[in-house]
Amino acid sequence: MKLICGPMATISHPAFRILIEKFGACDEYYTEMINAGSLLNFGPFEKYYIDPAPQPEKVVWQLTGTDTKRMVEAARRLLQLPGIGLDVNMGCSAPDIYKTGAGIGWMLKPVEETQQMVKALGELFAKEGQGKRFSVKLRLGDEDFTEPGFFSFCDMLVDCGVELLCLHPRTKKEKLARPPRYAYCQRLAQRLSIPVYVNGNVKDENSYKYAEASCPDCQGIMISRAAVQKPWIFSQLKNPEKVIEINMEELCLEYVDLIEKYQPPEFWKTRLQRFFTYFSMNFKFGHYAQTQFLNASDNNDLREKIKAFFEKCPDERIKVIGK
């Protein structure tokens, strides 16, 4: 199966992709959500969202928006960029997203409205897609979803030109503690003539094998949060016998440098805090590391706190994967 790095707000940018590429084995990188309105208005930070580094040919641009006209115009711009293609976000369940009609909001609207938007995008791809892939990332729907309604919705997407679906098999309100319903991914893959990717709860070799066995007809597995904690996870899953030795101190310091190079100063703090919230889980004294790193006053202070942590905990410096 293909291995895909999922879209994550404040994470899925060039600096993070470069970190993943150090270890390799990731087949596709979904970007964080690109807001159609902000892109069309030439927002001051949009150039950072549409930077395809370091592997433009592996990038999937993920688009979010609330109305058909802006979605189509924004998609037209994104189709001029390199990459695999464009993905429409119909899965984000954050209240500040779906209450505007974006994200999973597209699954909650009258189906005719969503169909109009998807059909317009499908027509755009047919005329100007230049071989780019048109995909949708979605959930099961709201808490009152029905199987016939869900499968009918997916059929509609395919009829309108969608060429791949990535399913996170949870409803709008279901939290990560609830196991994803992989059976829906498998049934969707059996039902449709297009590829289906699985998303949800893959965090190590055992959970990967479980998802793979549960969804044998799916063509890819998407990993998100676990890739932040373990940027080497894609390499580890593709080559489980390979031994990887990592200097964790150097990796932490390198990531700070990458953030400064590929993100605007206004984003440095939030991007670094989000990353180290997960990455600190690698350490035996992870809570201590997280507290130190997240409370740094600026990037130079963060660098000093990283160095101080490894001086205090030298056994944490070298991590060996695969032994």
Side-chain angles (χ1 to χ4, degrees):
M1 283 194 182
K2 287 186 176 180
L3 290 176
I4 301 97
C5 189
M8 294 171 281
T10 74
I11 289 288
S12 301
H13 45 65
F16 183 63
R17 294 195 289 271
I18 289 171
L19 202 64
I20 299 288
E21 281 293 313
K22 282 178 64 72
F23 305 99
C26 187
D27 297 302
E28 298 180 13
Y29 294 101
Y30 279 50
T31 67
E32 58 184 316
M33 291 186 294
I34 299 169
N35 183 277
S38 298
L39 182 67
L40 294 173
N41 292 331
F42 298 97
F45 302 119
E46 296 315 299
K47 64 180 181 180
Y48 298 99
Y49 285 94
I50 60 174
D51 183 345
Q55 296 285 341
E57 69 278 7
K58 293 184 180 182
V59 169
V60 178
W61 306 102
Q62 190 176 75
L63 181 64
T64 185
T66 59
D67 65 89
T68 297
K69 183 178 179 180
R70 284 188 291 184
M71 289 288 282
V72 171
E73 289 306 310
R76 180 173 282 114
R77 289 193 185 179
L78 292 174
L79 284 175
Q80 304 307 308
L81 301 176
I84 293 170
L86 175 73
D87 183 80
V88 173
N89 184 305
M90 293 190 188
C92 182
S93 59
D96 59 335
I97 298 295
Y98 80 77
K99 286 183 178 179
T100 67
I104 200 173
W106 286 106
M107 297 187 74
L108 311 180
K109 297 177 182 183
V111 69
E112 295 80 11
E113 182 178 348
T114 302
Q115 183 177 22
Q116 179 188 39
M117 184 272 288
V118 179
K119 184 178 180 181
L121 285 175
E123 292 172 351
L124 173 68
F125 270 78
K127 294 177 181 177
E128 305 176 30
Q130 304 170 16
K132 301 287 179 64
R133 188 182 73 198
F134 177 23
S135 65
V136 168
K137 187 174 185 294
L138 72 168
R139 288 187 176 231
L140 294 173
D142 214 338
E143 308 315 294
D144 60 352
F145 89 100
T146 65
E147 291 187 9
F150 170 72
F151 288 121
S152 176
F153 184 85
C154 293
D155 289 342
M156 176 273 291
L157 296 177
V158 176
D159 290 342
C160 290
V162 173
E163 300 167 291
L164 182 145
L165 292 180
C166 179
L167 177 60
H168 182 161
R170 292 185 174 99
T171 62
K172 176 169 67 72
K173 289 185 179 179
E174 284 177 340
K175 304 301 181 184
L176 298 176
R178 190 201 191 285
R181 304 185 219 185
Y182 288 144
Y184 282 105
C185 298
Q186 172 62 8
R187 291 170 63 187
L188 198 61
Q190 291 176 324
R191 178 188 184 94
L192 302 179
S193 59
I194 64 171
V196 173
Y197 288 170
V198 184
N199 178 220
N201 272 36
V202 175
K203 54 189 177 182
D204 52 29
E205 188 174 358
N206 287 338
S207 55
Y208 170 76
K209 288 180 177 179
Y210 178 73
E212 190 177 37
S214 300
C215 309
D217 291 311
C218 292
Q219 295 191 18
I221 292 180
M222 178 177 282
I223 301 173
S224 300
R225 291 169 296 113
V228 190
Q229 180 188 351
K230 299 177 283 190
W232 50 84
I233 191 170
F234 301 104
S235 178
Q236 187 180 11
L237 294 176
K238 281 279 182 76
N239 306 285
E241 303 302 318
K242 182 180 178 181
V243 176
I244 306 172
E245 185 172 298
I246 307 157
N247 186 310
M248 301 291 276
E249 180 177 7
E250 290 180 359
L251 197 68
C252 290
L253 294 170
E254 179 183 2
Y255 195 69
V256 180
D257 293 341
L258 288 169
I259 287 292
E260 290 181 343
K261 182 175 181 180
Y262 288 98
Q263 295 287 277
E266 294 89 341
F267 288 5
W268 289 354
K269 185 172 184 178
T270 54
R271 270 54 178 165
L272 287 166
Q273 286 183 331
R274 183 82 186 278
F275 174 78
F276 282 112
T277 294
Y278 291 102
F279 193 76
S280 297
M281 294 167 65
N282 286 297
F283 306 126
K284 184 185 301 183
F285 300 101
H287 180 71
Y288 172 74
Q290 185 185 98
T291 300
Q292 292 297 302
F293 300 165
L294 268 59
N295 289 328
S297 59
D298 56 31
N299 286 3
N300 287 332
D301 186 38
L302 175 57
R303 289 184 175 95
E304 292 305 313
K305 282 181 163 53
I306 290 170
K307 294 174 185 176
F309 171 76
F310 287 102
E311 287 176 6
K312 188 171 184 177
C313 307
D315 292 344
E316 304 272 29
R317 185 174 282 114
I318 303 298
K319 188 175 185 68
V320 180
I321 309 296
K323 276 191 175 180

